[in-house]
Amino acid sequence: MSFEGVRRVRVLPWSNAEGKPALLLGGGDGPVSRIADQIEGVQLGMAGDLLDYASDLLDDTKTTPQQIRFLARRLSESLQDVLRVAESRGARLSHPYAPAATPKPHPSAEDDTDDEGDTAPAG
């Protein structure tokens, strides 16, 4: 099987201006890919910090329902980030030329079946 002419696609750790997954064609070791690696590292680190905070908050008997809802929102956002990182990295590991899996959009994002995204960072 030949993979000549097949371009790799990387799901970036941010969304495009329309809230859809941002994609990078090539997905190699260029500047956008290096920035994406750094952001993924920050997102994973923040997830760890949030888990520590959650543990402390849940152990505190004075925690209010508002604090629990705030925590649940932050955990949901963080889980979405971590899932995007895991799916992106998993797709890149499965085959060197396979297109990356596109993560499901966050429930608050508009439901749109068009999977095209940016090839550079949005913003």
Side-chain angles (χ1 to χ4, degrees):
M1 177 182 276
S2 173
F3 291 100
E4 289 181 41
V6 176
R7 296 177 71 174
R8 290 177 58 184
V9 177
R10 177 177 180 173
V11 178
L12 297 170
W14 55 79
S15 300
N16 67 18
E18 292 83 33
K20 299 177 188 174
L23 306 175
L24 176 65
L25 297 177
D29 62 351
V32 174
S33 191
R34 287 191 297 274
I35 291 169
D37 290 342
Q38 291 172 349
I39 290 173
E40 286 177 353
V42 168
Q43 289 173 329
L44 295 175
M46 289 174 61
D49 292 344
L50 185 57
L51 283 175
D52 291 341
Y53 174 71
S55 180
D56 293 342
L57 194 65
L58 294 172
D59 287 342
D60 186 350
T61 59
K62 297 176 187 172
T63 300
T64 67
Q66 292 82 5
Q67 290 173 309
I68 296 295
R69 280 194 298 278
F70 178 83
L71 174 63
R73 285 186 195 106
R74 302 299 77 83
L75 286 169
S76 178
E77 293 165 358
S78 181
L79 184 57
Q80 181 66 35
D81 290 342
V82 169
L83 181 59
R84 184 184 304 120
V85 169
E87 288 177 344
S88 178
R89 290 184 179 184
R92 286 182 277 148
L93 291 175
S94 65
H95 192 284
Y97 297 102
T102 302
K104 296 176 184 171
H106 190 274
S108 64
E110 275 188 17
D111 183 28
D112 195 337
T113 56
D114 184 0
D115 290 334
E116 293 184 54
D118 291 341
T119 57

